[in-house]
Amino acid sequence: MVSEEPSLRASLEAVLLVVDEPVTEIVLAQLLEEPVARTTAALEELAAEYRDQGRGFELRRVAGGWRYYTSEACAHVVERYVTEGQQSRLTQAALETLAVVAYRQPVSRARVSAVRGVNSDGVMRTLTLRGLIEDAGRDPESQATLYRTTGYFLERLGLDSLEELPELAPYLPDEINDIEDVSA
């Protein structure tokens, strides 16, 4: 008995079910020995089909690649399942620190602490351990370690790139000093 090769769509679905981080169209095309344009079109068709059918999962393009995610409509059910008996949310300090790194990267611990007005060393270590920020080299002047957000950060926020971060201006108070003047 001769078995038929699976379709491009079926092959994409099979690979995407086992990935633990987003996979680029180029990698998928190479793996499946298909043109990138055909692979991209198939991914977009699958994503639209799942969305139109109101499935409990979605195929999304995030962090430069493609991956399956729970649909927003089912998020509360999945969250209840995943967090049952555990608490893994970020503290207010961690969220503030992560925001400073995301919007000011690459940035040193000292600069983050200056912007926040409190020592942020412990929070920076926690965010590094959780894989949300990483070492981005050294500042040429001060030799301080610089930090940036990771691909995992983009993935967790459902963003394809940092350009998708919301603008800060609408959330700032009307009367605010220039942050550069305050933290210099």
Side-chain angles (χ1 to χ4, degrees), residues 30-106:
Q30 289 172 345
L31 174 71
L32 302 175
E33 299 175 341
E34 292 285 346
V36 174
R38 185 166 183 246
T39 302
T40 300
L43 288 163
E44 290 170 351
E45 288 170 13
L46 283 170
E49 181 179 311
Y50 299 149
R51 191 174 41 254
D52 294 345
Q53 292 176 353
R55 300 276 184 107
F57 61 92
E58 300 171 347
L59 179 57
R60 289 191 215 151
R61 187 176 200 299
V62 295
W66 292 83
R67 184 171 178 201
Y68 284 117
Y69 288 88
T70 306
S71 75
E72 298 232 3
C74 297
H76 68 285
V77 175
V78 174
E79 181 180 5
R80 195 173 21 199
Y81 172 76
V82 171
T83 61
E84 191 69 34
Q86 61 180 333
Q87 187 69 329
S88 60
R89 294 178 186 233
L90 294 175
T91 64
Q92 184 66 32
L95 289 171
E96 290 172 5
T97 303
L98 189 55
V100 172
V101 174
Y103 283 96
R104 307 273 308 207
Q105 60 188 305

Side-chain angles (χ1 to χ4, degrees), residues 123-144:
V123 178
M124 295 284 287
R125 279 190 292 278
T126 299
L127 293 172
T128 302
L129 287 172
R130 287 193 170 190
L132 295 168
I133 63 172
E134 65 187 0
D135 185 318
R138 297 241 178 235
D139 183 305
E141 293 178 19
S142 68
Q143 292 303 306

Side-chain angles (χ1 to χ4, degrees), residues 157-177:
L157 267 64
L159 303 174
D160 193 36
S161 70
L162 292 171
E163 286 76 36
E164 293 181 16
L165 284 171
E167 292 293 322
L168 281 181
Y171 303 103
L172 296 174
D174 292 334
E175 299 291 322
I176 187 166
N177 295 329

Side-chain angles (χ1 to χ4, degrees), residues 20-37:
D20 46 344
E21 59 184 38
V23 182
T24 66
E25 293 98 340
I26 294 170
V27 169
L28 290 167
Q30 289 172 345
L31 174 71
L32 302 175
E33 299 175 341
E34 292 285 346
V36 174

